[in-house]
Amino acid sequence: KQLNCHGEALRFLEESLLDLSDKWQLPLNVDFVLFVVHGTAVNAKDLLNSDLIFFDRYKYFAMKFKSNFPELYQAIHIIIHNFCVKLSIATEDLVINYLLFTLVTYWDGLISNYIHKKKQVSVVILSDRHYTHSNMIKDFLELELPRKVAIDVYSKIKISDSIIENLNYDIIVSNFMISTTTTKKVVVIHDFPTSIDLDNIKSAISSVLIDR
């Protein structure tokens, strides 16, 4: 039963971290982070017996992290809390903050890559033709748009209104009409971006930067 508990918790942690990595395009050595966080969690009970009356440095770290990166903090906090529940260990703040500290510091490049992504205007390309068509458009836009723009290609087979609405990008460039999204800026092109399409994309980028 205990082995099943650990296995379920590890699968949850792996899937959750990979989802988070994919959502914000953050490189992740998932096996290494899993090994460290799981090992730390198993020994977390020792932390509850330690004396942190004068200064709880893990709480301080967590609060500073939350202050600077609230969205990322919230996502990681939920993952760690649910991981602890599945592992049947304490979910006290001391343990959660300790594991958050461990995950953030052992996830190589997490903060720097997150800041870099947040500073950039993010664009995703959707094509109803073929993956290589999206790549062609991407190559062209990377030559025409400023470096502060990060361009990705949507490569998954499954697509739906809810997936489009929840894509973590500022701008969607698509070769088909998208009428469902209410929060994204959408630029529709045809087979190849024209000068007018480029002007529309640049206008959308300027709008994102002004909103920020």
Side-chain angles (χ1 to χ4, degrees):
K1 183 177 180 181
Q2 188 177 24
L3 287 175
N4 288 338
C5 172
H6 280 252
E8 181 184 351
L10 280 170
R11 282 192 297 273
F12 165 80
L13 184 60
E14 180 179 22
E15 291 172 1
S16 299
L17 293 180
L18 288 173
D19 284 345
L20 189 62
S21 170
D22 183 59
K23 179 180 180 180
W24 281 311
Q25 299 88 54
L26 303 171
L28 168 66
N29 183 344
V30 68
D31 291 334
F32 175 67
V33 174
L34 279 177
F35 175 78
V36 174
V37 173
H38 179 254
T40 304
V42 169
N43 296 309
K45 61 182 180 181
D46 296 332
L47 187 70
L48 296 174
N49 298 322
S50 62
D51 186 3
L52 297 175
I53 294 175
F54 296 107
F55 181 62
D56 184 348
R57 56 186 175 180
Y58 301 117
K59 179 180 179 180
Y60 178 79
F61 178 90
M63 292 304 97
K64 294 291 289 185
F65 186 70
K66 180 180 181 180
S67 175
N68 285 280
F69 314 105
E71 190 177 11
L72 186 58
Y73 167 87
Q74 183 66 18
I76 292 177
H77 188 278
I78 291 172
I79 290 172
I80 291 175
H81 180 273
N82 291 337
F83 172 64
C84 289
V85 170
K86 291 182 180 295
L87 203 56
S88 299
I89 65 172
T91 55
E92 298 178 32
D93 286 345
L94 182 58
V95 173
I96 299 295
N97 291 338
Y98 182 37
L99 291 179
L100 184 142
F101 169 82
T102 301
L103 191 153
V104 170
T105 55
Y106 278 90
W107 185 332
D108 187 36
L110 171 64
I111 293 178
S112 58
N113 285 314
Y114 180 76
I115 292 173
H116 180 66
K117 288 293 182 182
K118 281 297 183 179
K119 283 184 176 180
Q120 291 182 314
V121 175
S122 57
V123 176
V124 64
I125 300 170
L126 305 181
S127 173
D128 61 1
R129 295 204 170 183
H130 195 275
Y131 179 73
T132 54
H133 180 232
S134 296
N135 273 331
M136 181 202 72
I137 297 172
K138 177 178 183 288
D139 290 342
F140 179 77
L141 293 183
E142 284 180 335
L143 291 174
E144 297 293 330
L145 299 179
R147 286 189 173 183
K148 62 189 173 188
V149 178
I151 306 172
D152 290 321
V153 167
Y154 184 84
S155 58
K156 296 181 180 178
I157 297 176
K158 186 177 180 181
I159 189 71
S160 65
D161 292 344
S162 61
I163 289 175
I164 291 174
E165 185 64 32
N166 288 289
L167 287 173
N168 194 40
Y169 294 88
D170 300 308
I171 301 168
I172 297 173
V173 174
S174 170
N175 73 326
F176 55 90
M177 294 299 298
I178 298 174
S179 58
T180 58
T181 181
T182 57
T183 59
K184 309 292 182 185
K185 299 184 186 301
V186 179
V187 178
V188 179
I189 65 173
H190 292 290
D191 290 334
F192 196 84
T194 65
S195 57
I196 295 176
D197 294 330
L198 285 173
D199 287 341
N200 289 337
I201 295 171
K202 290 175 182 178
S203 177
I205 291 169
S206 297
S207 180
V208 169
L209 293 173
I210 289 171
D211 289 344
R212 287 182 180 175

